[in-house]
mmCIF file of all heavy atoms in Angstrom:
data_model
loop_
_atom_site.group_PDB
_atom_site.id
_atom_site.type_symbol
_atom_site.label_atom_id
_atom_site.label_comp_id
_atom_site.label_asym_id
_atom_site.label_seq_id
_atom_site.Cartn_x
_atom_site.Cartn_y
_atom_site.Cartn_z
ATOM 1 N N GLN A 1 0.250 31.919 -18.338
ATOM 2 C CA GLN A 1 0.207 30.652 -19.057
ATOM 3 C C GLN A 1 -0.785 29.680 -18.418
ATOM 4 O O GLN A 1 -0.947 29.643 -17.193
ATOM 5 C CB GLN A 1 1.591 30.003 -19.085
ATOM 6 C CG GLN A 1 2.594 30.688 -19.979
ATOM 7 C CD GLN A 1 3.924 29.949 -20.010
ATOM 8 O OE1 GLN A 1 4.315 29.314 -19.027
ATOM 9 N NE2 GLN A 1 4.630 30.031 -21.129
ATOM 10 N N GLY A 2 -1.417 28.918 -19.276
ATOM 11 C CA GLY A 2 -2.241 27.810 -18.828
ATOM 12 C C GLY A 2 -1.575 26.500 -19.157
ATOM 13 O O GLY A 2 -0.842 26.389 -20.149
ATOM 14 N N THR A 3 -1.792 25.503 -18.315
ATOM 15 C CA THR A 3 -1.245 24.165 -18.547
ATOM 16 C C THR A 3 -2.400 23.179 -18.560
ATOM 17 O O THR A 3 -3.212 23.139 -17.632
ATOM 18 C CB THR A 3 -0.249 23.770 -17.444
ATOM 19 O OG1 THR A 3 0.786 24.751 -17.370
ATOM 20 C CG2 THR A 3 0.369 22.407 -17.757
ATOM 21 N N LEU A 4 -2.471 22.377 -19.622
ATOM 22 C CA LEU A 4 -3.576 21.445 -19.804
ATOM 23 C C LEU A 4 -3.042 20.034 -19.995
ATOM 24 O O LEU A 4 -2.153 19.796 -20.819
ATOM 25 C CB LEU A 4 -4.417 21.843 -21.019
ATOM 26 C CG LEU A 4 -5.574 20.912 -21.401
ATOM 27 C CD1 LEU A 4 -6.598 20.831 -20.277
ATOM 28 C CD2 LEU A 4 -6.224 21.387 -22.692
ATOM 29 N N ALA A 5 -3.575 19.094 -19.210
ATOM 30 C CA ALA A 5 -3.251 17.673 -19.360
ATOM 31 C C ALA A 5 -4.533 16.889 -19.097
ATOM 32 O O ALA A 5 -5.262 17.186 -18.146
ATOM 33 C CB ALA A 5 -2.159 17.250 -18.387
ATOM 34 N N VAL A 6 -4.808 15.905 -19.938
ATOM 35 C CA VAL A 6 -6.006 15.086 -19.791
ATOM 36 C C VAL A 6 -5.590 13.634 -19.663
ATOM 37 O O VAL A 6 -5.009 13.072 -20.595
ATOM 38 C CB VAL A 6 -6.973 15.269 -20.978
ATOM 39 C CG1 VAL A 6 -8.260 14.487 -20.734
ATOM 40 C CG2 VAL A 6 -7.269 16.742 -21.219
ATOM 41 N N ASP A 7 -5.856 13.035 -18.515
ATOM 42 C CA ASP A 7 -5.617 11.605 -18.316
ATOM 43 C C ASP A 7 -6.816 10.830 -18.848
ATOM 44 O O ASP A 7 -7.962 11.109 -18.464
ATOM 45 C CB ASP A 7 -5.429 11.281 -16.833
ATOM 46 C CG ASP A 7 -4.226 11.983 -16.229
ATOM 47 O OD1 ASP A 7 -3.269 12.249 -16.982
ATOM 48 O OD2 ASP A 7 -4.253 12.284 -15.022
ATOM 49 N N VAL A 8 -6.566 9.869 -19.722
ATOM 50 C CA VAL A 8 -7.650 9.123 -20.360
ATOM 51 C C VAL A 8 -7.438 7.630 -20.153
ATOM 52 O O VAL A 8 -6.325 7.121 -20.323
ATOM 53 C CB VAL A 8 -7.720 9.426 -21.876
ATOM 54 C CG1 VAL A 8 -8.881 8.655 -22.515
ATOM 55 C CG2 VAL A 8 -7.870 10.921 -22.124
ATOM 56 N N THR A 9 -8.502 6.940 -19.783
ATOM 57 C CA THR A 9 -8.500 5.481 -19.718
ATOM 58 C C THR A 9 -9.432 4.982 -20.803
ATOM 59 O O THR A 9 -10.642 5.220 -20.760
ATOM 60 C CB THR A 9 -8.996 4.984 -18.346
ATOM 61 O OG1 THR A 9 -8.191 5.559 -17.314
ATOM 62 C CG2 THR A 9 -8.914 3.463 -18.265
ATOM 63 N N ALA A 10 -8.866 4.297 -21.804
ATOM 64 C CA ALA A 10 -9.664 3.889 -22.958
ATOM 65 C C ALA A 10 -9.008 2.692 -23.633
ATOM 66 O O ALA A 10 -7.782 2.505 -23.557
ATOM 67 C CB ALA A 10 -9.798 5.035 -23.956
ATOM 68 N N PRO A 11 -9.805 1.851 -24.331
ATOM 69 C CA PRO A 11 -9.236 0.681 -25.020
ATOM 70 C C PRO A 11 -8.506 1.033 -26.311
ATOM 71 O O PRO A 11 -7.773 0.213 -26.852
ATOM 72 C CB PRO A 11 -10.472 -0.180 -25.308
ATOM 73 C CG PRO A 11 -11.610 0.788 -25.377
ATOM 74 C CD PRO A 11 -11.279 1.866 -24.390
ATOM 75 N N THR A 12 -8.717 2.257 -26.834
ATOM 76 C CA THR A 12 -8.039 2.689 -28.055
ATOM 77 C C THR A 12 -7.395 4.047 -27.814
ATOM 78 O O THR A 12 -7.641 4.708 -26.812
ATOM 79 C CB THR A 12 -9.033 2.801 -29.224
ATOM 80 O OG1 THR A 12 -10.035 3.779 -28.900
ATOM 81 C CG2 THR A 12 -9.710 1.465 -29.496
ATOM 82 N N ARG A 13 -6.581 4.469 -28.759
ATOM 83 C CA ARG A 13 -5.918 5.768 -28.651
ATOM 84 C C ARG A 13 -6.951 6.887 -28.744
ATOM 85 O O ARG A 13 -7.945 6.799 -29.471
ATOM 86 C CB ARG A 13 -4.862 5.931 -29.744
ATOM 87 C CG ARG A 13 -3.692 4.968 -29.599
ATOM 88 C CD ARG A 13 -2.730 5.114 -30.769
ATOM 89 N NE ARG A 13 -2.142 6.445 -30.805
ATOM 90 C CZ ARG A 13 -1.030 6.804 -30.172
ATOM 91 N NH1 ARG A 13 -0.382 5.912 -29.442
ATOM 92 N NH2 ARG A 13 -0.556 8.026 -30.272
ATOM 93 N N VAL A 14 -6.683 7.973 -28.016
ATOM 94 C CA VAL A 14 -7.600 9.113 -27.959
ATOM 95 C C VAL A 14 -6.802 10.391 -28.197
ATOM 96 O O VAL A 14 -5.714 10.569 -27.641
ATOM 97 C CB VAL A 14 -8.320 9.185 -26.601
ATOM 98 C CG1 VAL A 14 -9.182 10.435 -26.508
ATOM 99 C CG2 VAL A 14 -9.159 7.938 -26.374
ATOM 100 N N SER A 15 -7.333 11.271 -29.045
ATOM 101 C CA SER A 15 -6.687 12.554 -29.312
ATOM 102 C C SER A 15 -7.473 13.685 -28.666
ATOM 103 O O SER A 15 -8.639 13.536 -28.302
ATOM 104 C CB SER A 15 -6.565 12.799 -30.822
ATOM 105 O OG SER A 15 -7.856 12.847 -31.416
ATOM 106 N N LEU A 16 -6.824 14.845 -28.529
ATOM 107 C CA LEU A 16 -7.407 16.015 -27.879
ATOM 108 C C LEU A 16 -7.416 17.185 -28.840
ATOM 109 O O LEU A 16 -6.437 17.441 -29.545
ATOM 110 C CB LEU A 16 -6.595 16.384 -26.632
ATOM 111 C CG LEU A 16 -6.898 17.734 -25.975
ATOM 112 C CD1 LEU A 16 -8.307 17.744 -25.383
ATOM 113 C CD2 LEU A 16 -5.850 18.061 -24.910
ATOM 114 N N SER A 17 -8.536 17.918 -28.848
ATOM 115 C CA SER A 17 -8.638 19.109 -29.681
ATOM 116 C C SER A 17 -9.290 20.231 -28.881
ATOM 117 O O SER A 17 -10.350 20.038 -28.276
ATOM 118 C CB SER A 17 -9.475 18.811 -30.938
ATOM 119 O OG SER A 17 -9.722 19.994 -31.672
ATOM 120 N N VAL A 18 -8.634 21.408 -28.869
ATOM 121 C CA VAL A 18 -9.215 22.629 -28.305
ATOM 122 C C VAL A 18 -8.943 23.725 -29.328
ATOM 123 O O VAL A 18 -7.935 24.435 -29.241
ATOM 124 C CB VAL A 18 -8.624 22.990 -26.929
ATOM 125 C CG1 VAL A 18 -9.396 24.147 -26.305
ATOM 126 C CG2 VAL A 18 -8.622 21.794 -25.991
ATOM 127 N N PRO A 19 -9.805 23.881 -30.316
ATOM 128 C CA PRO A 19 -9.516 24.774 -31.438
ATOM 129 C C PRO A 19 -9.184 26.207 -31.024
ATOM 130 O O PRO A 19 -8.290 26.838 -31.599
ATOM 131 C CB PRO A 19 -10.810 24.714 -32.261
ATOM 132 C CG PRO A 19 -11.401 23.378 -31.943
ATOM 133 C CD PRO A 19 -11.066 23.149 -30.498
ATOM 134 N N GLU A 20 -9.900 26.742 -30.034
ATOM 135 C CA GLU A 20 -9.690 28.134 -29.638
ATOM 136 C C GLU A 20 -8.283 28.365 -29.094
ATOM 137 O O GLU A 20 -7.760 29.492 -29.146
ATOM 138 C CB GLU A 20 -10.733 28.524 -28.592
ATOM 139 C CG GLU A 20 -10.834 30.013 -28.354
ATOM 140 C CD GLU A 20 -11.979 30.379 -27.434
ATOM 141 O OE1 GLU A 20 -12.770 29.480 -27.054
ATOM 142 O OE2 GLU A 20 -12.091 31.566 -27.081
ATOM 143 N N LEU A 21 -7.666 27.292 -28.588
ATOM 144 C CA LEU A 21 -6.310 27.404 -28.047
ATOM 145 C C LEU A 21 -5.261 26.856 -29.008
ATOM 146 O O LEU A 21 -4.076 26.794 -28.669
ATOM 147 C CB LEU A 21 -6.232 26.650 -26.711
ATOM 148 C CG LEU A 21 -7.115 27.188 -25.592
ATOM 149 C CD1 LEU A 21 -7.015 26.294 -24.358
ATOM 150 C CD2 LEU A 21 -6.743 28.625 -25.243
ATOM 151 N N GLY A 22 -5.702 26.442 -30.186
ATOM 152 C CA GLY A 22 -4.770 25.913 -31.173
ATOM 153 C C GLY A 22 -4.217 24.547 -30.826
ATOM 154 O O GLY A 22 -3.139 24.173 -31.305
ATOM 155 N N ILE A 23 -4.926 23.779 -29.997
ATOM 156 C CA ILE A 23 -4.460 22.461 -29.585
ATOM 157 C C ILE A 23 -5.097 21.389 -30.449
ATOM 158 O O ILE A 23 -6.325 21.306 -30.558
ATOM 159 C CB ILE A 23 -4.788 22.191 -28.103
ATOM 160 C CG1 ILE A 23 -4.046 23.170 -27.205
ATOM 161 C CG2 ILE A 23 -4.452 20.753 -27.732
ATOM 162 C CD1 ILE A 23 -4.394 23.028 -25.738
ATOM 163 N N SER A 24 -4.273 20.585 -31.069
ATOM 164 C CA SER A 24 -4.698 19.388 -31.789
ATOM 165 C C SER A 24 -3.607 18.367 -31.560
ATOM 166 O O SER A 24 -2.568 18.390 -32.225
ATOM 167 C CB SER A 24 -4.884 19.678 -33.281
ATOM 168 O OG SER A 24 -5.290 18.507 -33.969
ATOM 169 N N ALA A 25 -3.823 17.482 -30.579
ATOM 170 C CA ALA A 25 -2.733 16.658 -30.084
ATOM 171 C C ALA A 25 -3.125 15.188 -30.053
ATOM 172 O O ALA A 25 -4.230 14.838 -29.628
ATOM 173 C CB ALA A 25 -2.333 17.106 -28.678
ATOM 174 N N ALA A 26 -2.199 14.353 -30.493
ATOM 175 C CA ALA A 26 -2.421 12.909 -30.425
ATOM 176 C C ALA A 26 -2.300 12.403 -29.001
ATOM 177 O O ALA A 26 -2.849 11.350 -28.663
ATOM 178 C CB ALA A 26 -1.426 12.181 -31.333
ATOM 179 N N ASP A 27 -1.580 13.152 -28.158
ATOM 180 C CA ASP A 27 -1.389 12.756 -26.764
ATOM 181 C C ASP A 27 -2.083 13.763 -25.852
ATOM 182 O O ASP A 27 -1.557 14.853 -25.604
ATOM 183 C CB ASP A 27 0.104 12.696 -26.435
ATOM 184 C CG ASP A 27 0.354 12.284 -24.989
ATOM 185 O OD1 ASP A 27 -0.610 11.826 -24.327
ATOM 186 O OD2 ASP A 27 1.490 12.429 -24.517
ATOM 187 N N PRO A 28 -3.264 13.427 -25.319
ATOM 188 C CA PRO A 28 -3.970 14.381 -24.453
ATOM 189 C C PRO A 28 -3.215 14.721 -23.184
ATOM 190 O O PRO A 28 -3.404 15.799 -22.621
ATOM 191 C CB PRO A 28 -5.278 13.642 -24.122
ATOM 192 C CG PRO A 28 -5.433 12.598 -25.178
ATOM 193 C CD PRO A 28 -4.036 12.197 -25.538
ATOM 194 N N ALA A 29 -2.343 13.785 -22.728
ATOM 195 C CA ALA A 29 -1.669 13.981 -21.439
ATOM 196 C C ALA A 29 -0.648 15.105 -21.481
ATOM 197 O O ALA A 29 -0.297 15.683 -20.448
ATOM 198 C CB ALA A 29 -1.021 12.680 -20.977
ATOM 199 N N GLY A 30 -0.145 15.421 -22.693
ATOM 200 C CA GLY A 30 0.806 16.522 -22.823
ATOM 201 C C GLY A 30 1.984 16.450 -21.861
ATOM 202 O O GLY A 30 2.736 15.486 -21.866
ATOM 203 N N PRO A 31 2.132 17.457 -20.981
ATOM 204 C CA PRO A 31 1.229 18.605 -20.774
ATOM 205 C C PRO A 31 1.360 19.653 -21.874
ATOM 206 O O PRO A 31 2.421 19.825 -22.470
ATOM 207 C CB PRO A 31 1.674 19.158 -19.424
ATOM 208 C CG PRO A 31 3.114 18.782 -19.323
ATOM 209 C CD PRO A 31 3.272 17.474 -20.034
ATOM 210 N N HIS A 32 0.271 20.355 -22.119
ATOM 211 C CA HIS A 32 0.208 21.388 -23.139
ATOM 212 C C HIS A 32 0.237 22.751 -22.456
ATOM 213 O O HIS A 32 -0.604 23.058 -21.614
ATOM 214 C CB HIS A 32 -1.064 21.232 -23.977
ATOM 215 C CG HIS A 32 -1.241 19.852 -24.529
ATOM 216 N ND1 HIS A 32 -0.576 19.409 -25.644
ATOM 217 C CD2 HIS A 32 -1.997 18.809 -24.079
ATOM 218 C CE1 HIS A 32 -0.923 18.144 -25.881
ATOM 219 N NE2 HIS A 32 -1.770 17.763 -24.946
ATOM 220 N N VAL A 33 1.223 23.573 -22.818
ATOM 221 C CA VAL A 33 1.383 24.900 -22.231
ATOM 222 C C VAL A 33 0.888 25.938 -23.228
ATOM 223 O O VAL A 33 1.290 25.934 -24.396
ATOM 224 C CB VAL A 33 2.853 25.168 -21.855
ATOM 225 C CG1 VAL A 33 3.013 26.565 -21.271
ATOM 226 C CG2 VAL A 33 3.339 24.110 -20.861
ATOM 227 N N ILE A 34 -0.015 26.818 -22.766
ATOM 228 C CA ILE A 34 -0.647 27.792 -23.653
ATOM 229 C C ILE A 34 -0.412 29.185 -23.103
ATOM 230 O O ILE A 34 -0.649 29.458 -21.920
ATOM 231 C CB ILE A 34 -2.168 27.536 -23.765
ATOM 232 C CG1 ILE A 34 -2.441 26.060 -24.061
ATOM 233 C CG2 ILE A 34 -2.781 28.409 -24.834
ATOM 234 C CD1 ILE A 34 -2.865 25.273 -22.847
ATOM 235 N N ASP A 35 0.073 30.080 -23.941
ATOM 236 C CA ASP A 35 0.301 31.463 -23.527
ATOM 237 C C ASP A 35 -1.003 32.252 -23.583
ATOM 238 O O ASP A 35 -1.842 32.058 -24.472
ATOM 239 C CB ASP A 35 1.327 32.135 -24.441
ATOM 240 C CG ASP A 35 2.728 31.562 -24.257
ATOM 241 O OD1 ASP A 35 3.054 31.187 -23.110
ATOM 242 O OD2 ASP A 35 3.460 31.471 -25.257
#
């Protein structure tokens, strides 16, 4: 398994997309667990 979390500092909301892993998330921090 892989675990992905992205800490973002920004004035507006930020989403995360990793199409190859099927990730489309409004919260980049997750954490997102991928098999």
